[in-house]
Amino acid sequence: MTSQSNHQTAHIPKKEGQSKAVWAVFFACIIAFMGLGLVDPILPAIAGQLHATPSEVTLLFTSYNAVMAIAMLITGVISTKLGTKVTLLVGVVIIALFSTLGGLSNNVWAIVGLRGGWGLGNALFVATALTAIVTLSKSGTAKAIILYEAAIGLGISVGPLLGGELGSISWRGPFIGVGVLMVIAFIFLITLMPNTKKQEAAQRPATSSSSILDPFRAMKHRSIVVFGLTACFYNFGFFTLLAYAPFVMGLDAHGIGYVFIGWGVLLAITSVFMAPKLQKRFGTVNSMCVMLTTFAVVLLVMGIWSHTQWVIIAAVIFAGALLGNNNTLITTAVMNAAPIERSTASAAYSFLRFLGGAIAPYLAGKLAEWFSPHVPFIVGGCFVLISVIFVLMNRHHVNHVDSVEAGH
């Protein structure tokens, strides 16, 4: 795992001269996002061993994303009070605690509840980590976001391998594994990242005050709402693929892990190397719409050929390339969308996008139970197409994001 991470990170340009604080957050992000990939290969195993239906197991994603969406509204206030470093550490501790407790549970409903606590920790970590990397980076917003998305891709790509190995022993292994990895992340942050609370306070305008209402006030900027709702609809497709595809692959934990390794590697590579080139040549909104449209087509293909194993496997892996591009494009766009603090913009956007991530997994499981395994993917694809239509209808509110980045 370590050698693979080091091999991948070696491709990130060193000439950027990032500080130790940025690299500490970067490596902590890799470990944090391993948690997502670690759990994915064991979803069918949890359903089988705890006698749960697919829709009940997908609630592990629903409770996680629902709590994360709501918690995003308070991350700015907490970060202002505690400072970036302490907020990151608190998030890591919460993730470690609830993931370990989940691994020790014997009831699917207890795990669903504990995943909600995990979502709280992840909200504190994810929102603050993005803001920390963008703020502390010496290379501008675009390159900082590429670094952040690279950490996500690396974590997701390495996680399934470890999740498949641990999951083949017991479904509890990946949950406890996340707890152990969070301890490592805690050590990275507490030793390498300086406490910047005083500097953050000094840099904050005297008239600035953090409020729980700030993310709602941020939504008066139409561009934030447009990108947030676009991501909300897009996440219906993203989490349908992530939460429901394992149930139709017909593979064990090892096999699912290997499929999602391919998915995550393509996600990491495209988010770092391809997305910036697309953005520069075709523009952020144009590139985003092409990636989303292609992803919608992939989901529709999965819906039509749900019982053809090789189609599902190939589609999941190929989708990683589309998602890596889109994640970098839309995150960059949000950071440049409105003349407000990045932490506030991130909180407002994340609240909207994770609402889709909360509804989609459970809806996918229920649609399969009510109708057939084909329907979740078709519905997910339709929601992704809606996201394209929505952003195009509101294009005049978001076209400025390219000119903002060009001015950096």
Side-chain angles (χ1 to χ4, degrees):
M1 179 181 66
T2 304
S3 61
Q4 184 171 351
S5 296
N6 289 341
H7 176 72
Q8 296 279 4
T9 55
H11 289 81
I12 295 171
K14 294 182 179 179
K15 64 181 180 180
E16 294 175 1
Q18 302 291 6
S19 66
K20 286 184 179 180
V22 171
W23 290 116
V25 178
F26 173 78
F27 284 112
C29 281
I30 293 176
I31 295 171
F33 280 96
M34 280 184 191
L36 189 61
L38 273 168
V39 174
D40 212 49
I42 59 168
L43 293 177
I46 294 175
Q49 295 182 34
L50 296 185
H51 308 291
T53 64
S55 63
E56 289 173 344
V57 174
T58 56
L59 282 172
L60 270 69
F61 284 95
T62 292
S63 62
Y64 175 83
N65 285 323
V67 172
M68 189 151 53
I70 296 170
M72 284 294 178
L73 299 174
I74 61 173
T75 54
V77 175
I78 294 175
S79 179
T80 300
K81 299 293 183 184
L82 300 181
T84 298
K85 180 177 181 177
V86 175
T87 304
L88 289 171
L89 292 173
V90 170
V92 165
V93 169
I94 293 174
I95 294 171
L97 174 64
F98 282 94
S99 63
T100 303
L101 290 175
L104 300 175
S105 300
N106 295 308
N107 181 281
V108 68
W109 297 106
I111 300 174
V112 168
L114 291 167
R115 277 282 284 181
W118 188 338
L120 171 62
N122 219 58
L124 292 172
F125 181 88
V126 170
T128 312
L130 174 58
T131 303
I133 287 181
V134 171
T135 303
L136 296 172
S137 174
K138 302 174 182 178
S139 307
T141 300
K143 290 183 179 178
I145 290 171
I146 290 169
L147 198 63
Y148 175 77
E149 294 294 342
I152 294 176
L154 288 169
I156 290 175
S157 63
V158 175
L161 176 61
L162 189 58
E165 294 296 327
L166 295 175
S168 65
I169 301 171
S170 169
W171 67 263
R172 302 177 189 275
F175 281 87
I176 296 173
V178 169
V180 174
L181 289 171
M182 287 298 100
V183 173
I184 298 173
F186 185 91
I187 294 171
F188 265 122
L189 291 171
I190 203 165
T191 56
L192 296 178
M193 185 176 180
N195 194 332
T196 57
K197 186 177 180 181
K198 290 183 179 179
Q199 293 92 317
E200 292 165 16
Q203 292 172 2
R204 196 175 298 120
T207 56
S208 174
S209 62
S210 183
S211 166
I212 195 172
L213 298 177
D214 285 347
F216 294 104
R217 295 190 183 110
M219 293 180 198
K220 71 180 181 181
H221 297 282
R222 186 67 176 268
S223 54
I224 295 290
V225 176
V226 170
F227 286 128
L229 290 179
T230 298
C232 177
F233 297 136
Y234 151 65
N235 265 357
F236 272 87
F238 182 96
F239 279 98
T240 295
L241 182 143
L242 198 63
Y244 187 69
F247 290 101
V248 297
M249 283 184 192
L251 299 172
D252 60 11
H254 272 118
I256 296 171
Y258 292 138
V259 171
F260 277 97
I261 288 170
W263 176 80
V265 167
L266 284 182
L267 188 149
I269 292 172
T270 54
S271 66
V272 175
F273 298 108
M274 188 174 176
K277 294 180 180 178
L278 292 174
Q279 183 181 16
K280 184 176 181 180
R281 183 167 182 178
F282 302 107
T284 303
V285 177
N286 289 338
S287 301
M288 188 189 310
C289 289
V290 171
M291 291 299 111
L292 289 173
T293 302
T294 309
F295 180 44
V297 172
V298 169
L299 287 170
L300 294 175
V301 168
M302 293 175 71
I304 296 170
W305 287 283
S306 298
H307 295 304
T308 307
Q309 187 184 56
W310 73 266
V311 171
I312 296 297
I313 292 172
V316 168
I317 294 173
F318 176 66
L322 305 175
L323 302 178
N325 279 311
N326 189 67
N327 287 349
T328 296
L329 291 166
I330 197 167
T331 305
T332 304
V334 170
M335 290 295 100
N336 295 317
I340 56 177
E341 288 187 9
R342 292 189 176 107
S343 59
T344 303
S346 177
Y349 160 73
S350 297
F351 168 71
L352 291 172
R353 72 168 171 151
F354 283 117
L355 288 179
I359 300 169
Y362 182 68
L363 178 63
K366 296 306 290 185
L367 287 172
E369 292 173 14
W370 293 335
F371 303 105
S372 75
H374 304 274
V375 176
F377 298 112
I378 293 172
V379 171
C382 290
F383 269 104
V384 177
L385 285 176
I386 290 172
S387 74
V388 178
I389 295 169
F390 181 74
V391 75
L392 289 175
M393 288 176 60
N394 292 276
R395 188 174 190 134
H396 56 289
H397 293 292
V398 297
N399 271 339
H400 67 282
V401 295
D402 287 310
S403 59
V404 171
E405 181 57 38
H408 279 198

